[in-house]
Structures are given as C-alpha cells and as structure tokens.
Amino acid sequence: MNPLEIIKLPAPNEEGAVEVRLKARAVSRGVAIGKILCLHGTNRQFYRIDLEDSAVEPEIKRLRRAINLAKRQLVKIVSRKTGRISTSGPGIFESHRMLIEDSSLQSKFEKEITGQKINAEWAIKLVSDSYVALYKAIENEHLRDRYIDIEDVSERILTALNGGSSSQIAAANGAIIAARELKPSTLVELADDNPLALITENGGWTSHTFILAREMNWPAVTGVKKILRRVKTGDHVIVDGYNGQIILNPAAETLERYSADAAARSHGEHMSEGDPPAGPVTTLDGREIRIFANSDTPSGYNKAKRLGAQGIGLYRSEFLFNRFRGFPSESEQFDAYQAIARAAGKEGVKIRTFDLGAEQLSDQNAAKEKNPALGLRAVRLGLAYKNLLRTQLRALLRASYGQRIDIVIPMVSGVSEVVAVKQILEHERQQLTAKGKNVGTLRVGAMIEVPSAVFMVKELVEETDFLCLGTNDLIQYLLAADRDNEAVAGWFRTLHPAVLRSIRSVLDAANKASKSVIVCGEMAGSPYYVPVLLGLGATELSMNVHSLSNVRKIVSGIALEEAGELTERLRHSRTVEEIEETVSDHVRTHWVHLFPPEFPIASEL
Ligand code: PEP
Ligand code: MG
C-alpha cells in the first residue's frame, strides 16, 4: 500500500480541543492521520456501533440467533461430557446453559439494544460488565466467583454473534484502531477493512501482532498506558510510527507539517520499492549475502521477489489457524503448502510446523496455562497431539512432490524432539508411499530459539540439514523477558552480550559443519542490527517484505571486514549499554551514508 493513500485531509482542531502529545514506542513505520476506533475485549475484540432506527430490529434478531447457537453448543457439550466426567465439568456447562436460557439476561441485552440503539456486542458488554461488578462485590467467595461464568457465557454469545455472519469489524475501514492489546487473529480480521494504523497499550516489537502490522504496512505504536481511557471512538489523531508518538486533537499547523512529511517519506519509500532488484546482494568487499522473505501468502512472496527476495526463509504455518478459524484439514493444508511452494519456485520455502500454544487448540473453557510461552507449545504440542503433527507432515510430504519445501521444527530444546519428529515423518512417508501417493523429499531444520538448543548446537547441526535462528524467542528466553509484555520491553535487549555470544556460537558451529543458518527473527530485518549479524558471521537473512529494500541497501553499503572488526570489539563489552553505545557511535561515524541523521539511532525498525 502506498502510504500516500492513508493521508486524509487535515481535520480541523475542534473548538477548544487542545493538542495532546503522548509518548509511545514505534513498532511499525509510517504516519497516519484519522479518527480513532476503540476496540474492547480481550478474547474477541469489539466496539460500540450506534444503529439507525431501522437496524435495531435486525440486530435483535441477530442476537437471538447467536443465543440459540450458543445454547445448542452448550447442550452438545453437556451431553458429550455427561457420562464421561461426572465431577465438575458438566456442572459448569450446565450452569452456563441455565444462564443462557435465563430469559431475564436475554431481555437485558435486548433492552440495551433497543434503548440505546447499539450493536449486540456492545449491549452484551454493558450488561455483563454490570453483572461482573455486582458479583465481584459479594463477600462470599463461592458466589463471588460466579462472575467468571457470566464472562464465559458472554464470550460464548459474542463468538456466536460472529460465527458465520460478516465481521462486525467492518467499521474499522479507514479508522485508527486503539486497543489495550491486539491479537494476531484480530489483525487478520481487520485486514479486509484496511485500518489506517494501530495504537495499543501492550505488545512488543517482536510480537506476532506487530510482525503482521509491519507486513501489512500499517503504522503502529505501543506502550500507551490506559489508552482506552485517554481516547474515545471518533477522536482525531495522528499516529507517528517513525518517532513513536500520538498526537490527539492535532492543531492545524501540526496536521500540515505531518501531511507534508508523510508525503515526502512515502515518496522516498515508494522510490526504493520500485528499484529493480539487483540480484544477489554483496557487501562492499564482495561477500554474497542471501536474502529471504518471511512470507505467509503467495501474493506476499510475489511482492518480496520483486524486491529481491531469494526464497521464503520462514513460512509460519500456524497463521493458517487465523485464516481457517481453527485447525485446517489435511487437504486445506496441502493446498496452502502447494500454493506457497509454487510461488517460491526453485528458490524454495521453509515451512515451520505449527508454532501454537495449547489454548489455541482447546475448548475456550479449558484451563489456561499459567506460562503459555513456557508451556505446551510448538513441537511439544505436536508431540503431545501426534495426530495433528501427522496430519501436517502428510500434507507437507504430499505438497513437496515436485516442489522445494524444507520443514523447520519450532522450539526444540535438544536433539530428542528432532529425532522424534523425523521418525514420525519417516513413518508417514512410508504409509503414503504404500498407498501409492506421490511424496517429495523434505529437508529438516530446527529453529534455534531456546537457550538449551544453543548449548546443544553441535549435536543439532549433526541431526539436521540446516538451522534457523529465531532471535525473537531466543532473546525472550535468554533474557527471561516476555516479548509480548510492554512492561518488560526495557529488558528485551537485542544487543545484550549473552544474545550476541549465543548467535556467534550457533553461526560458528554451523559454519564448521558447512551447514546453513538462516537468521529469521525480526533482528534480521532491522537495518541497525544487520551489520552486527554480518559481523558475527551471518550470511543468510530472512525478513518481512517491507524490510527487504533497506536491508539490501545496508548490506551492499558496508564491508564485511569492518562489520567483523566492530563485533570483535563488542566481544569484550561487559554490558548491553556498552554495546549499544559502541554500535551507535560506529554507525554515526562510519556509516552515516547509510543511516542519515533523521534515522533514529538504536531504532529497531
Ligand atoms: C523467532 O522466534 O525469532 C521467530 C522467527 O519465530 P516467531 O516470531 O514466529 O516466534
Ligand atoms: Mg519463535
């Protein structure tokens, strides 16, 4: 999308409205000027819509249909569970069913829709919020905890409201979305409606939400405390995704300046996107660096290819869950893998097996994990629910016939997981062949993103065909700093000495064995970090489509020898602050042609 398209005509500062600037963290580049749309909720995200008189009756009917659907689901769950589990399970669902059938709850929802002329989602939120507040005030602990049932039932009706019917996020078209937190699945829903930008309270640079935002070219900022109390739907705002700023009620001169600025930047970016790809990229001293794209759709990769990508270095297969709103069947997976492999052609695609957590597979009422990032996710989940892994491996084996597909196993902590997956892969290959199906040859790689895998890298190199260095998770786990948690964003330090040492030892081990390592975390797409990666020995980088042009420029503008000298100096640094300072000094003094003064020093973007 050409960022010029997102610039709206300056809106006048309303009478008496004072311009307010809020500091935020830029997580996706660009500037957007428009009106806020507040998104509420943590599970499903929704907002208030004021209805025309004629829309009230259809909205009531929509609510009733959703309640009926939710009732049918609960009856099914109760009958399925009864007989198998005789303790609390059916009891909980039975009480949910009773709650849903309670006509007074339904009439309260309907009263809000008719009285306030609002959408069903908002009516449910108002009613459930008031019930939850009442219950939470009760002294008796047992009764007090009933608020959870109200929340669960509301959530079920909200889900049913959107089951099959068109997305209620349609009103997001041309709006700036403000939310406490946005889920990747919400972004996928928003994609059809092309919002202008995103503002959130929570979420890190490497969270999937912002990885997607960058892929979609939506400016985004995060870290704005109490965002939903500071803004309301309809507020005029400028989102500055370069400098990490939000300007509420912008004054006329601010609007003018930003509009001109955004147009100039968009022209610059547009020009660089249009540059003809110069084939393989080489450093000033002649070393070839291979550049790949992190792509999840054939159209995304086609664009990346025009910008010089030499294959797909990371296909996050779990994004299919968002597209299919659940577990995709073997044939749905086969079609998706075949399509992406065809788009990648002889350059090939590295498809990562599902990197999902247990909560994405289970019933929404299943017990939540306390530490999902350390829980049953990625390869652990695949080995715990082998049928899911087998289905995926079958789809991959079939899709690789005549195509170049490699598979990547996420979150391995040592050799055992790789051996286990390879055994299952071999078994599925034999079964398919015995049935006369065509299968291809899959090379198997491991993601290095857990600290123990760094220690076991020599053995992992022996057991695999190649490695992928997932710096997003590696930093999170090495430094014990949740990548999705804004509160610890200050501890998530890409240039921490422990991170650099780990990267170096992975690259050294693979180089020694002449195996390839693709660096595919966000670090690989950040112009500021790329010289450091090259200096540490990286020769293959995979990134978001919008990083390709900038990274190619950096690679071709520096000498590997100089990058190596820089990282050699960093070896002796004891603190992350020291490293950050050395790198920014070097950038300012030696590579100023690549990092012009307006480029924010130490920017991750
Ligand atoms: C990583 O962890 O660096 C990575 C590439 O994978 P993801 O961001 O999907 O966890
Ligand atoms: Mg990862």
Side-chain angles (χ1 to χ4, degrees), residues 92-390:
I92 292 167
F93 291 113
E94 187 57 39
S95 65
H96 285 185
R97 191 176 63 81
M98 279 157 63
L99 252 177
I100 254 181
E101 283 180 349
D102 179 350
S103 57
S104 68
L105 187 66
Q106 179 165 339
S107 62
K108 283 203 167 68
F109 295 150
E110 293 186 6
K111 218 163 120 198
E112 294 293 344
I113 296 177
T114 338
Q116 299 206 46
K117 294 192 199 140
I118 49 171
N119 53 326
E121 285 86 353
W122 200 252
I124 292 169
K125 175 186 155 47
L126 291 181
V127 174
S128 71
D129 278 0
S130 67
Y131 268 109
V132 167
L134 276 177
Y135 274 107
K136 278 189 173 169
I138 295 175
E139 260 183 45
N140 176 305
E141 196 180 337
H142 181 68
L143 268 178
R144 193 171 59 229
D145 284 349
R146 293 278 322 263
Y147 83 87
I148 296 171
D149 294 336
I150 301 274
E151 281 183 344
D152 277 351
V153 164
S154 306
E155 187 56 39
R156 189 174 287 282
I157 305 173
L158 285 168
T159 306
L161 270 171
N162 286 282
S165 69
S166 64
S167 160
Q168 54 101 32
I169 297 189
N173 203 333
I176 289 175
I177 306 296
R180 282 200 60 216
E181 196 170 318
L182 282 166
K183 292 181 165 192
S185 56
T186 308
L187 250 68
V188 172
E189 268 189 60
L190 287 169
D192 291 338
D193 300 308
N194 240 341
L196 293 184
L198 313 172
I199 306 173
T200 69
E201 187 166 330
N202 209 4
W205 170 56
T206 61
S207 72
H208 278 172
T209 299
F210 296 124
I211 290 176
L212 275 172
R214 290 194 287 277
E215 192 170 322
M216 294 176 180
N217 217 8
W218 297 339
V221 296
T222 187
V224 195
K225 295 230 163 62
K226 303 207 172 19
I227 180 68
L228 294 180
R229 292 206 204 146
R230 290 170 160 206
V231 298
K232 60 182 187 322
T233 296
D235 282 353
H236 278 283
V237 73
I238 298 175
V239 175
D240 179 345
Y242 292 103
N243 299 306
Q245 202 172 203
I246 298 166
I247 306 169
L248 284 172
N249 311 316
E253 58 275 24
T254 314
L255 278 166
E256 216 169 287
R257 196 162 44 73
Y258 264 94
S259 302
D261 221 35
R265 282 189 201 260
S266 112
H267 183 63
E269 291 189 359
H270 192 60
M271 290 299 283
S272 74
E273 280 198 8
D275 287 344
V281 213
T282 47
T283 58
L284 285 179
D285 44 359
R287 178 65 195 259
E288 185 179 329
I289 304 296
R290 290 179 63 78
I291 307 275
F292 301 82
N294 294 348
S295 286
D296 308 305
T297 57
S299 61
Y301 180 63
N302 289 336
K303 184 169 183 204
K305 206 167 147 183
R306 288 196 296 277
L307 294 169
Q310 299 168 274
I312 300 175
L314 176 63
Y315 173 96
R316 293 177 163 98
S317 67
E318 66 277 10
F319 285 0
L320 291 174
F321 270 69
N322 298 329
R323 216 180 300 155
F324 290 99
R325 290 171 180 257
F327 194 82
S329 67
E330 183 180 327
S331 75
E332 283 164 342
Q333 289 187 56
F334 171 78
D335 290 346
Y337 303 150
Q338 198 180 52
I340 198 75
R342 282 190 174 144
K346 63 177 178 7
E347 308 276 24
V349 50
K350 294 196 164 17
I351 299 185
R352 182 173 69 188
T353 57
F354 295 131
D355 191 353
L356 288 169
E359 79 281 6
Q360 280 143 301
L361 281 188
S362 56
D363 186 280
Q364 57 182 323
N365 291 297
K368 295 249 183 301
E369 286 187 313
K370 284 230 168 77
N371 277 314
L374 304 182
L376 192 60
R377 51 166 286 215
V379 67
R380 303 170 181 185
L381 191 75
L383 293 172
Y385 295 89
K386 288 208 178 63
N387 280 344
L388 304 186
L389 179 61
R390 285 183 194 284

Side-chain angles (χ1 to χ4, degrees), residues 208 211 314 316 352 447 449 470-473 483 520-521:
H208 278 172
I211 290 176
L314 176 63
R316 293 177 163 98
R352 182 173 69 188
M447 288 291 285
E449 51 187 349
T471 51
N472 304 336
D473 277 319
R483 61 195 262 193
C520 59

